[in-house]
Amino acid sequence: MKVEVNLMGLCCSVPQLIVYSKLKKMKEGDLLDIIVEKGSSQEHDIMMVLQKFGFRTEVSEKDDCRRYLVHVGDLGEITSSFT
């Protein structure tokens, strides 16, 4: 299952709580597609959650957005591909 979470415009701890909650409910093999504003505080908060879980994550960006595709259950590195 693939779930998309668009966090554009959100601030404070809301993005972090949303991502944490989604990841806790997902099963091995699921994908979580997270959209954030590039270089924002929300992105920093999301990075802390992703590092805690340690799942393999692919990063891409377009314009002022950055996408994190999290492979739930698949431990590994964060990889980047910018388009």
Side-chain angles (χ1 to χ4, degrees):
M1 175 175 69
K2 182 177 180 181
V3 175
E4 182 179 293
V5 177
N6 187 335
L7 303 174
M8 299 289 286
L10 299 178
C11 63
C12 300
S13 61
V14 173
Q16 191 174 17
L17 292 171
I18 291 171
V19 170
Y20 183 83
S21 175
K22 292 286 186 191
L23 286 172
K24 291 293 282 184
K25 295 176 184 175
M26 298 180 84
K27 298 176 184 168
E28 187 170 340
D30 288 348
L31 298 171
L32 180 60
D33 190 8
I34 305 166
I35 303 167
V36 297
E37 295 171 50
K38 191 170 20 175
S40 65
S41 62
Q42 65 186 204
E43 183 176 25
H44 179 265
D45 291 345
I46 295 312
M47 288 301 300
M48 291 190 319
V49 173
L50 295 179
Q51 289 171 355
K52 175 188 174 12
F53 281 92
F55 295 141
R56 184 170 62 90
T57 305
E58 298 173 37
V59 183
S60 62
E61 63 181 62
K62 184 177 180 184
D63 300 324
D64 63 342
C65 299
R66 193 166 281 150
R67 294 182 90 114
Y68 291 86
L69 184 61
V70 182
H71 299 259
V72 177
D74 189 2
L75 300 177
E77 303 271 332
I78 295 178
T79 60
S80 298
S81 62
F82 301 107
T83 56

